[in-house]
Amino acid sequence: QKNVCLTSWRIKVMDGNTAICVEGKRKDMKDLFWHSNAIMERIAHNQVKTSSGSIYLLQGNIDSASMRKEGFPYRFIKRFTYGFSKRWKEYVEEFLEERRR
């Protein structure tokens, strides 16, 4: 299974506010903008695994400016500044729940 490396990455909410994916530029595809399937697990703070089994390597810090533009709360972005913490699922659940209200 090939690892996909993303730079200028950010979190996106998937349809129905049920899951999140990551999006960013793919170095191996001339900086093509790319987004993943739903994130299922954290391997390391900068490595996540998707529902399709792909592993995404997140390079650098989160693109907080574009996330602010998308309307993400500062508090949420801050928790992912340096990647996915061990408590990422909690943060995502809480955030998605607020969105569904």
Side-chain angles (χ1 to χ4, degrees):
Q1 185 72 55
K2 198 166 109 42
N3 286 355
V4 182
C5 186
L6 295 182
T7 59
S8 306
W9 63 277
R10 58 188 180 171
I11 292 169
K12 297 280 276 189
V13 175
M14 299 184 82
D15 296 341
N17 291 327
T18 52
I20 57 154
C21 64
V22 286
E23 176 179 87
K25 293 178 185 165
R26 269 187 83 154
K27 276 215 170 104
D28 60 340
M29 291 188 175
K30 298 194 170 87
D31 280 347
L32 177 82
F33 227 68
W34 188 264
H35 72 91
S36 73
N37 282 322
I39 303 297
M40 290 312 200
E41 64 173 290
R42 167 198 188 270
I43 296 166
H45 73 97
N46 64 342
Q47 255 184 313
V48 289
K49 195 174 188 174
T50 68
S51 55
S52 65
S54 299
I55 290 170
Y56 281 78
L57 286 169
L58 309 172
Q59 280 203 325
N61 293 350
I62 200 164
D63 180 357
S64 50
S66 69
M67 284 186 64
R68 290 292 293 159
K69 277 193 198 107
E70 302 261 327
F72 280 87
Y74 174 72
R75 196 173 52 120
F76 179 79
I77 302 169
K78 210 172 96 184
R79 289 169 161 171
F80 289 90
T81 305
Y82 305 111
F84 281 67
S85 74
K86 287 194 169 75
R87 293 177 58 194
W88 75 274
K89 265 197 167 120
E90 257 174 77
Y91 301 149
V92 168
E93 276 308 306
E94 183 188 316
F95 171 67
L96 292 177
E97 220 165 84
E98 279 168 25
R99 300 241 328 188
R100 287 193 291 259
R101 266 182 218 142

